[in-house]
């Protein structure tokens, strides 16, 4: 099955009314991971679906499918499928994982160690500054900052990461061709150019209230940890934090004044077991082991030889991949892409490895996604 026909089959499945990611994944399992066989299975079992779904499977809208395929044919656009080796492994472990992700930008960033920064849309000036500081320092420490491109804390976090010369990931609650809120149209363009904009919703999907909790589970699921900067007691950020906790990820919360209503959500999180943090370095230190474990898993998943084993005596010091990376760094600054070419290691694994070397003061992160070996 060629790529065009396979993409078309995926798009037919994704646009089937009422099917959903869970039932699509079940069909894929039953069909041995083949989307064409999964579609054939669904067509034979139309009694499981309603009349609209059966009608769509029998005669899908070719104009709509052509528009979808046209979008995917554009440079930097991709339909990342759960059957592919580079589908984010962290998402496979969450309840109700997505079957696909529409990506505009660099899809490999979804394999990098990520930290979610979320908070109130109507954030205070102090909260916005905290979000910028945490995003900037976490980005410079080697983490990819992930958020939801909403107004307030989300937007401030994305902008700070971009201004630091780093990449950022925005997970949105609309189709990948829509921007919500509209005021973030320019920000969305910068994110696509320097990072990745991600959605599980097909093209043309408008913003709806029930889409945002679904988006939040992906933000939490992609990230090793979630930092909540400001949130009132009804904030959607608390949903993201709850989902992160249920997924077994770290949850961090910044404390605030007891007179600030936007601190109450963070205080509740802290009472419920979230880590109180005041400095970005505390987040880096807490997530470093998970970042290293992710690098190990990716090296194995992407079939790299001699992948380091967790807990190996001597840590990275005895690891041949780290030796290759240090040799590839040389004496002049190099970008992640240059290091991947020189070392032969995948960029996703390199990101976690560079983070470990930064924590050991062997490498410094520089603006423009460049790295410098330290003496």
């Amino acid at each position: 099955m060629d790529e065009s026909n396979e993409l078309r089959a995926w798009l037919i499945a994704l646009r089937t009314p009422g099917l959903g990611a869970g039932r699509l994944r079940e069909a894929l399992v039953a069909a041995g991971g083949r989307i064409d066989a999964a579609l054939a299975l669904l067509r034979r079992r139309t009694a499981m679906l309603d009349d609209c779904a059966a009608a769509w499977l029998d005669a899908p809208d070719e104009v709509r499918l052509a528009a979808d395929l046209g979008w995917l044919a554009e440079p930097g656009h991709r339909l990342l499928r759960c059957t592919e080796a580079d589908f984010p492994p962290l998402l496979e472990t969450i309840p109700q994982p997505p079957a696909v992700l529409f990506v505009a930008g660099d899809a490999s960033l979804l394999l990098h160690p990520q930290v979610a920064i979320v908070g109130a849309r109507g954030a205070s000036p102090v909260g916005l500054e905290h979000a910028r500081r945490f995003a900037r320092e976490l980005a410079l420490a080697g983490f990819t900052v992930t958020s939801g491109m909403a107004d307030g804390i989300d937007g401030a976090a994305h902008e700070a990461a971009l201004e630091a010369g780093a990449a950022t990931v925005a997970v949105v609650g609309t189709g990948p061709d829509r921007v919500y809120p509209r005021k973030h149209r320019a920000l969305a363009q910068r994110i696509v150019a320097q990072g990745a904009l991600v959605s599980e919703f097909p093209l043309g999907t408008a913003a709806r209230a029930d889409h945002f909790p679904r988006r939040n589970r992906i933000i939490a699921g992609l990230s090793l940890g979630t930092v909540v900067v400001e949130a009132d007691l009804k904030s959607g950020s608390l949903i993201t934090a709850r989902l992160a906790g249920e997924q077994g990820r770290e949850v961090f919360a910044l404390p605030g004044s007891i007179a600030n209503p936007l601190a109450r959500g963070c205080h509740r999180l802290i009472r419920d077991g979230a880590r109180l943090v005041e400095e970005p370095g505390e987040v880096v230190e807490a997530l470093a082991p998970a970042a290293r474990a992710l690098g190990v898993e990716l090296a194995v998943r992407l079939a790299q030889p001699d992948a380091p084993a967790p807990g190996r005596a001597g840590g990275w010091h005895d690891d041949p991949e780290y030796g290759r990376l240090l040799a590839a760094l040389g004496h002049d600054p190099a970008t992640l892409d240059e290091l991947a070419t020189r070392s032969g290691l995948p960029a996703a694994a390199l990101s976690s490895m560079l983070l470990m070397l930064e924590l050991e003061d062997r490498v410094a992160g520089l603006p423009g996604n460049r790295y410098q070996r330290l003496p």
Side-chain angles (χ1 to χ4, degrees), residues 288-325:
R292 173 169 172 77
L294 178 62
V296 170
E297 181 178 357
L298 289 172
V300 174
R301 186 182 178 115
L302 299 176
Q304 290 302 306
D306 302 317
R312 178 186 292 177
W316 66 263
H317 301 275
D318 299 328
D319 194 316
E321 273 73 25
Y322 280 87
R324 287 163 61 185
L325 171 54

Side-chain angles (χ1 to χ4, degrees), residues 11-324:
L11 292 165
I12 291 172
L14 293 170
R15 286 196 176 277
T16 300
L19 179 59
R23 297 173 81 179
L24 175 54
R25 278 177 168 266
E26 290 173 3
L28 283 166
V29 170
R34 290 179 50 195
I35 187 61
D36 56 341
L39 273 182
L41 181 64
L42 289 169
R43 289 187 175 110
R44 288 200 301 272
R45 298 181 179 177
T46 52
M48 299 168 54
L49 304 171
D50 64 20
D51 291 343
C52 289
W56 168 263
L57 288 171
D58 185 54
D61 185 337
E62 296 297 338
V63 174
R64 175 169 287 179
L65 293 176
D68 290 344
L69 289 168
W71 186 89
L72 289 171
E74 295 179 19
H77 290 180
R78 181 176 175 189
L79 183 68
L80 185 57
R81 292 149 273 180
C82 63
T83 53
E84 296 182 284
D86 59 344
F87 191 82
L90 290 178
L91 283 184
E92 295 287 0
T93 65
I94 71 172
Q96 300 178 330
V100 303
L101 295 172
F102 290 87
V103 183
D106 184 358
S108 73
L109 290 171
L110 303 187
L111 297 178
H112 292 193
Q114 297 171 59
V115 178
I117 298 180
V118 297
R121 285 177 169 82
S124 70
V126 172
L128 293 173
E129 182 51 39
H130 286 327
R132 294 187 189 101
R133 181 168 65 93
F134 269 72
R136 180 173 56 252
E137 295 302 319
L138 288 169
L140 293 175
F143 287 97
T144 296
V145 172
T146 298
S147 196
M149 210 172 73
D151 207 1
I153 297 297
D154 290 22
H158 289 307
E159 288 172 349
L162 293 170
E163 289 166 3
T168 186
V169 171
V171 184
V172 299
T174 65
D177 57 332
R178 299 286 187 97
V179 175
Y180 181 84
R182 292 183 181 179
K183 63 182 287 186
H184 280 169
R185 187 172 300 277
L187 175 60
Q189 292 172 346
R190 292 172 62 200
I191 291 171
V192 171
Q194 196 170 318
L197 187 147
V198 180
S199 176
E200 70 170 325
F201 300 105
L203 272 69
T205 303
R208 282 178 25 186
D210 60 314
H211 288 176
F212 294 99
R214 292 174 60 183
R215 173 205 65 178
N216 292 351
R217 89 186 192 288
I218 296 177
I219 293 173
L222 285 170
S223 305
L224 297 173
T226 294
V227 180
V228 183
V229 178
E230 279 187 339
D232 63 30
L233 293 176
K234 296 183 179 180
S235 173
S237 302
L238 299 189
I239 296 175
T240 309
R242 175 178 57 80
L243 293 169
E246 291 173 354
Q247 294 166 5
R249 312 295 164 78
E250 292 280 2
V251 179
F252 308 90
L254 275 66
S257 167
I258 61 172
N260 180 6
L262 294 177
R264 291 175 185 168
C266 291
H267 293 167
R268 172 177 288 181
L269 289 173
I270 293 167
R271 285 195 299 271
D272 291 344
R275 292 197 189 207
L276 185 157
V277 291
E278 297 174 319
E279 296 295 332
E282 298 172 278
V283 178
V284 174
E285 182 179 3
L287 295 182
R292 173 169 172 77
L294 178 62
V296 170
E297 181 178 357
L298 289 172
V300 174
R301 186 182 178 115
L302 299 176
Q304 290 302 306
D306 302 317
R312 178 186 292 177
W316 66 263
H317 301 275
D318 299 328
D319 194 316
E321 273 73 25
Y322 280 87
R324 287 163 61 185

